[in-house]
Amino acid sequence: MDDGEKKCLDDIEKYGCHILHILAEGDLPPFSYSVGIEKSAGQPEVIIVGLRNELAHSMINEYCERVRAGERFQPGQRLSGFLEGFDCEVRQVDPRHYREYVGWDLWLYKGESFRLVQLVYPSTSGYWPWDEGSSDDFRRFQPILD
């Protein structure tokens, strides 16, 4: 086990999850995701696409704290308290996206035997990526993985 894997397991034990931030590359926007929430809290891992590391980190920590405290979220549910001034929506991620986005979860769970949700957020104008008034750039920056 290398130092990164050891830190990941230590973070899961201490905080309930480890968080990874992936920089934008080619056509892929930046994204952040959890590793270990399903192991520590029995709830889906979470991914956030297109936000700054600091903001995504805060949102993932909020999600982790809330599910560890017993809160449960359902796909399609709108949530407050993650992004100041805006709701987020929970979307179930299709496992065909796992290899492209959440390699460390594949490592931890030794395959695709875990659940993953995406916290989707609206634009600052209030448009969701699937709304007709949403810009193409916003849709590219936050692909929906369901």
Side-chain angles (χ1 to χ4, degrees), residues 19-107:
I19 299 172
L20 288 161
H21 303 288
I22 309 303
L23 299 174
E25 184 177 323
D27 290 338
L28 279 178
F31 60 95
S32 301
Y33 68 96
S34 68
V35 180
I37 290 176
E38 189 154 320
K39 182 179 173 103
S40 70
Q43 291 302 300
E45 301 296 337
V46 64
I47 186 170
I48 299 167
V49 183
L51 291 180
R52 292 182 338 267
N53 290 355
E54 300 81 15
L55 185 53
H57 198 98
S58 170
M59 292 169 69
I60 292 170
N61 277 336
E62 177 72 14
Y63 174 88
C64 185
E65 288 173 18
R66 288 169 69 169
V67 297
R68 289 181 80 197
E71 198 168 346
R72 300 296 177 252
F73 306 118
Q74 300 301 317
Q77 183 179 358
R78 296 263 169 107
L79 308 170
S80 60
F82 288 92
L83 193 57
E84 189 175 332
F86 297 95
D87 284 346
C88 291
E89 185 171 307
V90 178
R91 303 295 286 246
Q92 184 71 44
V93 175
D94 187 311
R96 66 188 165 97
H97 296 292
Y98 286 11
R99 294 213 180 282
E100 185 174 14
Y101 286 94
V102 292
W104 278 71
D105 283 314
L106 294 167
W107 164 78

